[in-house]
Coordinates of all heavy atoms in Angstrom, one line a residue:
M202 N 12.4 -16.1 32.7 CA 12.3 -15.8 31.2 C 10.9 -15.2 31.0 O 9.9 -15.7 31.3 CB 12.5 -17.0 30.4 CG 12.4 -16.9 29.0 SD 12.6 -18.4 28.1 CE 13.9 -17.9 27.0
T203 N 10.9 -14.0 30.3 CA 9.7 -13.4 30.0 C 9.3 -13.9 28.6 O 10.1 -14.1 27.7 CB 9.7 -11.9 30.0 OG1 10.8 -11.5 29.1 CG2 10.0 -11.4 31.4
Q204 N 8.0 -14.0 28.4 CA 7.5 -14.4 27.1 C 6.9 -13.2 26.4 O 6.1 -12.4 26.9 CB 6.4 -15.5 27.3 CG 6.0 -16.1 26.0 CD 5.0 -17.2 26.3 OE1 4.5 -17.4 27.4 NE2 4.8 -18.1 25.2
M205 N 7.2 -13.0 25.1 CA 6.7 -11.9 24.3 C 5.3 -12.4 23.7 O 5.2 -13.5 23.3 CB 7.6 -11.5 23.2 CG 8.9 -10.9 23.7 SD 10.0 -10.4 22.4 CE 9.1 -9.0 21.8
T206 N 4.4 -11.5 23.6 CA 3.1 -11.7 23.0 C 3.1 -11.0 21.7 O 3.6 -9.9 21.5 CB 1.9 -11.3 23.8 OG1 2.0 -9.9 24.1 CG2 1.9 -12.0 25.2
Q207 N 2.4 -11.7 20.7 CA 2.3 -11.1 19.4 C 1.2 -10.1 19.4 O 0.2 -10.3 20.0 CB 2.0 -12.1 18.4 CG 3.2 -13.0 18.1 CD 2.9 -14.0 17.0 OE1 1.7 -14.3 16.7 NE2 4.0 -14.6 16.5
T208 N 1.4 -9.0 18.7 CA 0.3 -7.9 18.6 C 0.1 -7.7 17.1 O 1.0 -7.5 16.3 CB 0.8 -6.6 19.1 OG1 1.1 -6.9 20.6 CG2 -0.3 -5.6 19.1
L209 N -1.2 -7.8 16.7 CA -1.6 -7.5 15.3 C -1.8 -6.0 15.2 O -2.4 -5.4 16.0 CB -2.9 -8.3 15.0 CG -2.7 -9.8 15.0 CD1 -4.1 -10.4 14.7 CD2 -1.7 -10.3 13.9
T210 N -1.3 -5.5 14.2 CA -1.5 -4.1 13.9 C -2.4 -3.9 12.7 O -2.4 -4.7 11.8 CB -0.2 -3.3 13.7 OG1 0.5 -3.9 12.7 CG2 0.7 -3.4 15.0
T211 N -3.1 -2.8 12.7 CA -3.9 -2.5 11.4 C -3.0 -1.8 10.4 O -2.0 -1.3 10.6 CB -5.1 -1.5 11.8 OG1 -4.5 -0.3 12.4 CG2 -6.0 -2.2 12.9
T212 N -3.6 -1.7 9.2 CA -2.9 -1.1 8.1 C -2.8 0.4 8.4 O -3.8 1.0 8.9 CB -3.8 -1.3 6.8 OG1 -3.9 -2.7 6.6 CG2 -3.1 -0.7 5.6
P213 N -1.7 1.1 8.1 CA -1.6 2.5 8.4 C -2.5 3.3 7.5 O -2.9 2.9 6.4 CB -0.1 2.8 8.0 CG 0.4 1.6 7.2 CD -0.5 0.5 7.5
A214 N -2.9 4.4 8.1 CA -3.9 5.4 7.4 C -3.2 5.9 6.1 O -1.9 5.9 6.0 CB -4.2 6.5 8.3
A215 N -4.0 6.4 5.2 CA -3.4 7.0 4.0 C -2.4 8.1 4.3 O -1.4 8.3 3.6 CB -4.5 7.5 3.1
D216 N -2.7 8.9 5.4 CA -1.8 9.9 5.7 C -0.4 9.5 6.1 O 0.6 10.2 6.0 CB -2.3 10.7 7.0 CG -3.6 11.4 6.7 OD1 -4.0 11.6 5.5 OD2 -4.4 11.7 7.6
D217 N -0.3 8.2 6.4 CA 1.0 7.7 6.8 C 2.0 7.5 5.6 O 3.2 7.3 5.8 CB 0.9 6.3 7.6 CG 0.3 6.5 8.9 OD1 0.2 7.6 9.4 OD2 -0.1 5.4 9.5
L218 N 1.5 7.6 4.4 CA 2.3 7.6 3.3 C 3.3 8.7 3.2 O 4.3 8.7 2.4 CB 1.5 7.4 2.0 CG 1.3 6.0 1.5 CD1 0.6 6.1 0.1 CD2 2.6 5.3 1.3
V219 N 3.0 9.8 3.9 CA 3.9 10.9 3.9 C 5.2 10.5 4.6 O 6.3 11.1 4.3 CB 3.4 12.2 4.5 CG1 2.2 12.7 3.7 CG2 3.0 12.0 5.9
V220 N 5.2 9.5 5.5 CA 6.4 9.0 6.1 C 7.0 8.2 5.0 O 6.4 7.5 4.2 CB 6.0 8.1 7.3 CG1 7.3 7.4 7.8 CG2 5.3 8.8 8.3
P221 N 8.3 8.3 4.8 CA 9.0 7.6 3.6 C 8.8 6.1 3.6 O 9.7 5.3 4.1 CB 10.4 8.1 3.7 CG 10.6 8.7 5.0 CD 9.3 8.9 5.6
F222 N 7.8 5.6 3.0 CA 7.6 4.2 2.6 C 8.3 4.0 1.3 O 8.4 4.9 0.5 CB 6.2 3.8 2.5 CG 5.5 3.6 3.9 CD1 4.8 4.7 4.5 CD2 5.5 2.4 4.5 CE1 4.3 4.5 5.7 CE2 4.9 2.3 5.7 CZ 4.3 3.3 6.4
H223 N 8.7 2.8 1.0 CA 9.4 2.5 -0.2 C 8.6 1.4 -1.0 O 8.0 0.5 -0.4 CB 10.8 2.0 0.1 CG 11.6 3.1 0.7 ND1 12.2 4.1 0.0 CD2 11.9 3.3 2.0 CE1 12.9 4.9 0.8 NE2 12.6 4.5 2.1
C224 N 8.7 1.6 -2.3 CA 8.0 0.7 -3.2 C 8.4 -0.8 -2.9 O 9.5 -1.1 -2.7 CB 8.4 1.0 -4.7 SG 7.7 0.0 -5.9
D225 N 7.3 -1.6 -2.9 CA 7.5 -3.0 -2.6 C 8.2 -3.7 -3.8 O 8.7 -4.8 -3.6 CB 6.2 -3.7 -2.3 CG 5.6 -3.4 -1.0 OD1 6.4 -3.0 -0.1 OD2 4.4 -3.4 -0.8
R226 N 8.2 -3.1 -5.0 CA 8.9 -3.7 -6.1 C 10.3 -3.3 -6.3 O 11.1 -4.1 -6.6 CB 8.0 -3.4 -7.4 CG 8.4 -4.0 -8.6 CD 8.1 -5.5 -8.6 NE 8.5 -6.0 -9.9 CZ 9.4 -7.0 -10.0 NH1 10.0 -7.5 -9.0 NH2 9.7 -7.4 -11.2
C227 N 10.6 -2.0 -6.2 CA 11.9 -1.5 -6.6 C 12.6 -0.7 -5.4 O 13.8 -0.4 -5.6 CB 11.9 -0.6 -7.8 SG 11.1 1.0 -7.6
G228 N 11.9 -0.3 -4.4 CA 12.6 0.4 -3.3 C 12.5 1.9 -3.5 O 13.0 2.6 -2.6
A229 N 12.0 2.4 -4.6 CA 11.8 3.9 -4.7 C 10.8 4.4 -3.7 O 10.0 3.6 -3.1 CB 11.4 4.2 -6.1
L230 N 10.7 5.7 -3.5 CA 9.7 6.2 -2.6 C 8.3 5.9 -3.1 O 8.0 6.0 -4.3 CB 9.8 7.8 -2.5 CG 11.0 8.2 -1.7 CD1 11.1 9.7 -1.6 CD2 11.0 7.7 -0.2
A231 N 7.4 5.5 -2.2 CA 6.1 5.0 -2.5 C 5.2 6.3 -2.8 O 5.3 7.2 -2.2 CB 5.5 4.2 -1.4
K232 N 4.4 6.1 -3.8 CA 3.4 7.1 -4.2 C 2.0 6.6 -4.1 O 1.0 7.4 -4.0 CB 3.6 7.5 -5.7 CG 5.0 8.1 -6.0 CD 5.1 9.5 -5.4 CE 6.4 10.1 -5.9 NZ 6.7 11.3 -5.3
V233 N 1.8 5.3 -4.1 CA 0.5 4.7 -4.1 C 0.4 3.5 -3.0 O 1.4 2.8 -2.9 CB 0.1 4.1 -5.5 CG1 -1.2 3.4 -5.5 CG2 0.1 5.2 -6.5
R234 N -0.6 3.5 -2.3 CA -0.9 2.4 -1.3 C -2.1 1.6 -1.8 O -3.2 2.2 -2.1 CB -1.2 3.0 0.1 CG -1.5 2.0 1.1 CD -1.6 2.7 2.5 NE -2.3 1.8 3.4 CZ -3.4 2.0 4.0 NH1 -4.0 3.2 3.8 NH2 -4.0 1.2 4.7
V235 N -2.0 0.3 -1.8 CA -3.0 -0.6 -2.2 C -3.5 -1.4 -1.0 O -2.7 -2.1 -0.4 CB -2.5 -1.5 -3.4 CG1 -3.7 -2.4 -3.8 CG2 -2.0 -0.7 -4.5
V236 N -4.7 -1.2 -0.6 CA -5.2 -2.0 0.5 C -6.0 -3.2 0.0 O -6.8 -3.1 -0.9 CB -6.2 -1.1 1.3 CG1 -6.8 -1.8 2.5 CG2 -5.5 0.2 1.8
L237 N -5.6 -4.3 0.6 CA -6.2 -5.6 0.1 C -7.3 -6.0 1.1 O -7.4 -5.5 2.2 CB -5.1 -6.7 0.1 CG -3.9 -6.4 -0.7 CD1 -2.8 -7.5 -0.5 CD2 -4.2 -6.2 -2.1
A238 N -8.2 -6.9 0.7 CA -9.3 -7.3 1.5 C -8.9 -7.9 2.8 O -9.6 -7.8 3.8 CB -10.2 -8.4 0.7
S239 N -7.7 -8.5 2.8 CA -7.2 -9.1 4.1 C -6.9 -8.1 5.1 O -6.6 -8.4 6.3 CB -6.0 -10.0 3.8 OG -4.9 -9.2 3.4
G240 N -6.8 -6.8 4.7 CA -6.4 -5.7 5.7 C -4.9 -5.4 5.5 O -4.4 -4.4 6.0
S241 N -4.2 -6.2 4.8 CA -2.7 -5.9 4.5 C -2.7 -4.9 3.3 O -3.6 -4.6 2.7 CB -1.9 -7.2 4.3 OG -2.4 -7.8 3.1
D242 N -1.5 -4.4 3.1 CA -1.4 -3.4 2.0 C 0.0 -3.6 1.3 O 0.9 -4.3 1.8 CB -1.5 -2.0 2.5 CG -0.4 -1.6 3.5 OD1 0.4 -2.4 3.9 OD2 -0.4 -0.4 3.9
L243 N 0.0 -3.0 0.1 CA 1.2 -3.0 -0.7 C 1.4 -1.5 -1.0 O 0.4 -0.7 -1.1 CB 0.9 -3.7 -2.0 CG 0.6 -5.2 -1.9 CD1 0.1 -5.7 -3.2 CD2 1.8 -6.0 -1.4
V244 N 2.7 -1.1 -1.2 CA 3.0 0.3 -1.6 C 3.9 0.2 -2.9 O 4.8 -0.6 -3.0 CB 3.6 1.1 -0.5 CG1 2.6 1.4 0.6 CG2 4.8 0.4 0.1
F245 N 3.6 1.2 -3.8 CA 4.3 1.2 -5.0 C 4.7 2.7 -5.4 O 4.0 3.6 -5.1 CB 3.4 0.7 -6.2 CG 3.2 -0.8 -6.0 CD1 1.9 -1.2 -5.6 CD2 4.1 -1.8 -6.4 CE1 1.6 -2.6 -5.4 CE2 3.8 -3.1 -6.3 CZ 2.6 -3.5 -5.8
C246 N 5.8 2.7 -6.1 CA 6.2 4.0 -6.7 C 5.2 4.2 -7.8 O 4.4 3.3 -8.2 CB 7.6 4.0 -7.3 SG 7.8 2.8 -8.6
G247 N 5.1 5.4 -8.4 CA 4.2 5.7 -9.5 C 4.3 4.8 -10.7 O 3.4 4.4 -11.2
H248 N 5.6 4.6 -11.0 CA 5.9 3.7 -12.2 C 5.3 2.3 -12.0 O 4.6 1.9 -13.0 CB 7.4 3.6 -12.4 CG 7.8 2.5 -13.3 ND1 7.8 2.6 -14.7 CD2 8.3 1.2 -13.1 CE1 8.2 1.5 -15.2 NE2 8.5 0.6 -14.3
H249 N 5.5 1.7 -10.9 CA 5.0 0.3 -10.7 C 3.5 0.3 -10.5 O 2.8 -0.6 -10.8 CB 5.8 -0.4 -9.6 CG 7.2 -0.9 -10.1 ND1 8.3 -0.3 -9.7 CD2 7.5 -1.7 -11.1 CE1 9.3 -0.9 -10.3 NE2 8.9 -1.8 -11.2
A250 N 3.0 1.3 -9.8 CA 1.5 1.4 -9.7 C 0.8 1.4 -11.1 O -0.2 0.8 -11.3 CB 1.2 2.6 -8.9
R251 N 1.4 2.2 -12.0 CA 0.8 2.3 -13.3 C 1.0 0.9 -14.1 O 0.1 0.5 -14.8 CB 1.4 3.4 -14.1 CG 0.9 4.8 -13.8 CD 1.5 5.9 -14.6 NE 2.9 6.0 -14.7 CZ 3.7 6.6 -13.7 NH1 3.1 7.3 -12.8 NH2 5.0 6.7 -13.9
E252 N 2.2 0.4 -13.9 CA 2.5 -0.9 -14.6 C 1.5 -2.0 -14.2 O 1.1 -2.8 -15.0 CB 4.0 -1.3 -14.3 CG 4.3 -2.6 -15.0 CD 5.8 -3.0 -14.8 OE1 6.6 -2.1 -14.4 OE2 6.1 -4.2 -15.0
Y253 N 1.2 -2.1 -12.9 CA 0.4 -3.2 -12.3 C -1.1 -2.8 -12.1 O -1.9 -3.5 -11.5 CB 1.0 -3.7 -11.1 CG 2.4 -4.2 -11.2 CD1 3.4 -3.7 -10.5 CD2 2.7 -5.3 -12.1 CE1 4.7 -4.2 -10.6 CE2 4.0 -5.7 -12.3 CZ 5.0 -5.2 -11.5 OH 6.2 -5.7 -11.7
E254 N -1.5 -1.6 -12.6 CA -2.8 -1.0 -12.2 C -3.9 -2.0 -12.5 O -4.8 -2.1 -11.6 CB -3.0 0.3 -13.0 CG -4.3 0.9 -12.6 CD -4.5 2.3 -13.3 OE1 -3.7 2.7 -14.2 OE2 -5.5 3.0 -13.0
S255 N -4.0 -2.6 -13.7 CA -5.1 -3.4 -14.0 C -5.2 -4.6 -13.0 O -6.3 -5.0 -12.6 CB -5.1 -3.9 -15.4 OG -4.0 -4.7 -15.7
K256 N -4.1 -5.2 -12.7 CA -4.1 -6.4 -11.8 C -4.4 -5.9 -10.4 O -5.1 -6.6 -9.7 CB -2.7 -7.0 -11.8 CG -2.4 -7.8 -13.1 CD -1.0 -8.3 -13.1 CE -0.7 -8.9 -14.4 NZ 0.7 -9.5 -14.5
L257 N -3.9 -4.7 -9.9 CA -4.2 -4.2 -8.6 C -5.7 -3.9 -8.4 O -6.2 -4.2 -7.4 CB -3.3 -3.0 -8.3 CG -1.8 -3.3 -8.2 CD1 -1.1 -1.9 -8.1 CD2 -1.5 -4.2 -7.0
R258 N -6.3 -3.4 -9.5 CA -7.7 -3.1 -9.4 C -8.5 -4.4 -9.2 O -9.6 -4.3 -8.6 CB -8.2 -2.3 -10.7 CG -7.7 -0.9 -10.8 CD -8.3 -0.2 -11.9 NE -7.9 1.2 -12.0 CZ -8.4 2.1 -11.2 NH1 -9.4 1.9 -10.4 NH2 -8.0 3.4 -11.4
D259 N -8.1 -5.5 -9.7 CA -8.8 -6.7 -9.5 C -8.7 -7.2 -8.0 O -9.7 -7.9 -7.6 CB -8.2 -7.8 -10.4 CG -8.5 -7.6 -11.8 OD1 -9.4 -6.8 -12.1 OD2 -7.8 -8.2 -12.7
I260 N -7.7 -6.9 -7.3 CA -7.5 -7.4 -5.9 C -7.6 -6.4 -4.8 O -7.7 -6.7 -3.6 CB -6.2 -8.1 -5.8 CG1 -5.0 -7.2 -6.0 CG2 -6.1 -9.3 -6.7 CD1 -3.6 -7.7 -5.6
A261 N -7.7 -5.1 -5.1 CA -7.7 -4.0 -4.2 C -9.1 -3.7 -3.6 O -10.1 -3.8 -4.3 CB -7.1 -2.8 -4.8
V262 N -9.1 -3.4 -2.3 CA -10.3 -2.8 -1.7 C -10.2 -1.3 -1.9 O -11.2 -0.6 -2.2 CB -10.3 -3.1 -0.2 CG1 -11.5 -2.4 0.5 CG2 -10.4 -4.6 0.0
D263 N -9.0 -0.7 -1.7 CA -8.7 0.7 -2.0 C -7.4 0.9 -2.6 O -6.5 0.1 -2.4 CB -8.7 1.5 -0.6 CG -10.0 1.6 0.0 OD1 -11.0 1.9 -0.7 OD2 -10.1 1.5 1.3
I264 N -7.3 1.9 -3.5 CA -6.0 2.3 -4.0 C -6.0 3.8 -3.8 O -6.8 4.6 -4.2 CB -5.9 2.0 -5.6 CG1 -6.1 0.5 -5.8 CG2 -4.6 2.6 -6.1 CD1 -6.0 0.2 -7.3
I265 N -4.9 4.2 -3.0 CA -4.8 5.6 -2.5 C -3.5 6.2 -2.9 O -2.4 5.5 -2.8 CB -5.0 5.6 -1.0 CG1 -6.2 4.9 -0.5 CG2 -4.9 7.0 -0.5 CD1 -6.3 4.5 0.9
D266 N -3.5 7.4 -3.5 CA -2.3 8.0 -3.8 C -1.8 8.8 -2.6 O -2.5 8.9 -1.6 CB -2.4 8.9 -5.1 CG -3.3 10.1 -4.9 OD1 -3.5 10.5 -3.8 OD2 -3.6 10.7 -5.9
T267 N -0.6 9.4 -2.7 CA 0.0 10.1 -1.6 C -0.8 11.3 -1.1 O -0.6 11.8 0.0 CB 1.4 10.6 -1.9 OG1 1.4 11.3 -3.0 CG2 2.3 9.4 -2.1
E268 N -1.6 11.9 -1.9 CA -2.5 13.0 -1.5 C -3.8 12.6 -0.9 O -4.7 13.3 -0.7 CB -2.7 13.9 -2.7 CG -1.4 14.7 -3.1 CD -1.3 14.9 -4.5 OE1 -2.2 14.7 -5.3 OE2 -0.2 15.2 -5.0
G269 N -3.9 11.2 -0.7 CA -5.1 10.7 -0.1 C -6.4 10.5 -1.0 O -7.4 10.2 -0.6
E270 N -6.1 10.7 -2.3 CA -7.2 10.6 -3.3 C -7.5 9.1 -3.4 O -6.7 8.3 -3.7 CB -6.8 11.2 -4.6 CG -7.9 11.1 -5.6 CD -7.5 11.6 -7.0 OE1 -6.6 12.5 -7.0 OE2 -8.1 11.2 -7.9
Q271 N -8.8 8.7 -3.2 CA -9.2 7.3 -3.3 C -9.5 7.0 -4.7 O -10.3 7.7 -5.3 CB -10.4 7.1 -2.4 CG -10.3 5.8 -1.6 CD -11.3 5.7 -0.5 OE1 -12.2 6.5 -0.4 NE2 -11.1 4.7 0.2
H272 N -8.9 5.9 -5.3 CA -9.2 5.6 -6.7 C -10.2 4.4 -6.7 O -10.9 4.4 -7.7 CB -7.9 5.1 -7.3 CG -6.9 6.2 -7.4 ND1 -7.1 7.3 -8.3 CD2 -5.8 6.5 -6.7 CE1 -6.0 8.1 -8.1 NE2 -5.3 7.6 -7.2
V273 N -10.2 3.5 -5.8 CA -11.1 2.3 -5.8 C -11.6 2.1 -4.5 O -10.9 2.2 -3.5 CB -10.2 1.1 -6.3 CG1 -11.1 -0.2 -6.2 CG2 -9.7 1.2 -7.7
T274 N -12.9 1.8 -4.4 CA -13.5 1.5 -3.1 C -14.4 0.2 -3.3 O -14.9 0.0 -4.4 CB -14.3 2.6 -2.5 OG1 -15.3 3.0 -3.5 CG2 -13.5 3.8 -2.2
A275 N -14.5 -0.5 -2.3 CA -15.3 -1.8 -2.4 C -16.8 -1.4 -2.1 O -17.1 -0.5 -1.6 CB -14.8 -2.7 -1.4

């Protein structure tokens, strides 16, 4: 029996949002990627990114739109 080892991966680069990621809230195509201090990330459609913007700004290290424009940096 072979044993599988776990591999940790890093958060995808902003350029990876061109690959069809889907909003973590509703499943629509993602427009915004929110990078958290832990290194994990959330992705949102434009609607939900705007709806949660103030809360996301409190917890985000970076907020990046699909064109790679950085909105928040630590």
Side-chain angles (χ1 to χ4, degrees):
M202 175 182 235
T203 58
Q204 187 175 15
M205 294 181 70
T206 58
Q207 292 182 339
T208 303
L209 296 176
T210 58
T211 59
T212 304
D216 295 341
D217 290 347
L218 263 185
V219 296
V220 175
F222 282 90
H223 297 278
C224 177
D225 289 333
R226 185 71 176 117
C227 70
L230 286 178
K232 301 284 185 189
V233 176
R234 177 174 163 241
V235 179
V236 181
L237 305 175
S239 66
S241 60
D242 65 351
L243 301 168
V244 291
F245 294 100
C246 65
H248 165 80
H249 284 111
R251 285 185 301 276
E252 182 177 341
Y253 301 121
E254 182 178 8
S255 64
K256 292 177 184 176
L257 293 173
R258 286 187 179 277
D259 291 340
I260 64 169
V262 173
D263 288 319
I264 298 176
I265 305 165
D266 69 16
T267 55
E268 288 146 11
E270 181 182 335
Q271 222 167 8
H272 297 285
V273 175
T274 57

